[in-house]
Amino acid sequence: MVESIFKIEKKAVGFVVLFCLISLFQNFGPNSTTFIVPGEVFPTRYRSTGHGITAASGKVGAIVSQFGFANVRPATALKAYAPFAFTGLLSTLLIPETKGKTLEDSSNEQQQHFILGKWYT
């Protein structure tokens, strides 16, 4: 009885390590392009709309992939998924770099209206 518990624990440790690594790489790529990049790329005025569009696009992609590949063999699904992943990689590389810029500089908007409280005109 005790021996079987230790065997399960060894398997559980491997599973936890693998799960943590998968979560790390899953959050490293898609989460940064869904949540961090829109906050830096979209102008202040349209930032919440940009967050909504990127979040909705991710959810639509998840739904379409579940219904589209539900009855497909895994090897075929991976071959069909590869062009989409490559397109995502290329589109991520097209995002402008905002390193060293303030949000005001990257928005390309005149900030005097916001400072003076006349943003509505």
Side-chain angles (χ1 to χ4, degrees):
M1 177 80 174
V2 175
E3 293 175 0
S4 64
I5 292 174
F6 288 120
K7 288 181 183 178
I8 293 172
E9 286 182 9
K10 287 180 183 179
K11 291 180 182 179
V13 169
F15 175 76
V16 169
V17 169
L18 183 63
F19 182 77
C20 289
L21 286 172
I22 290 171
S23 294
L24 171 73
F25 287 109
Q26 178 66 25
N27 290 320
F28 183 72
N31 269 352
S32 65
T33 55
T34 304
F35 299 110
I36 296 172
V37 173
E40 295 179 348
V41 173
F42 290 109
T44 307
R45 185 178 300 185
Y46 306 111
R47 192 164 297 142
S48 61
T49 303
H51 279 294
I53 290 170
T54 55
S57 299
K59 289 171 181 49
V60 167
I63 292 169
V64 168
S65 67
Q66 288 298 314
F67 285 113
F69 296 113
N71 297 322
V72 179
R73 292 185 312 214
T76 306
L78 287 176
K79 289 177 186 175
Y81 176 71
F84 293 107
F86 188 68
T87 305
L89 172 71
L90 292 179
S91 63
T92 302
L93 294 175
L94 293 174
I95 297 172
E97 177 61 44
T98 59
K99 184 177 181 182
K101 290 184 180 179
T102 64
L103 290 175
E104 291 81 12
D105 291 338
S106 64
S107 70
N108 293 326
E109 293 180 332
Q110 292 183 358
Q111 300 299 316
Q112 294 350 45
H113 299 293
F114 294 110
I115 294 170
L116 298 174
K118 297 179 182 179
W119 54 271
Y120 51 85
T121 59

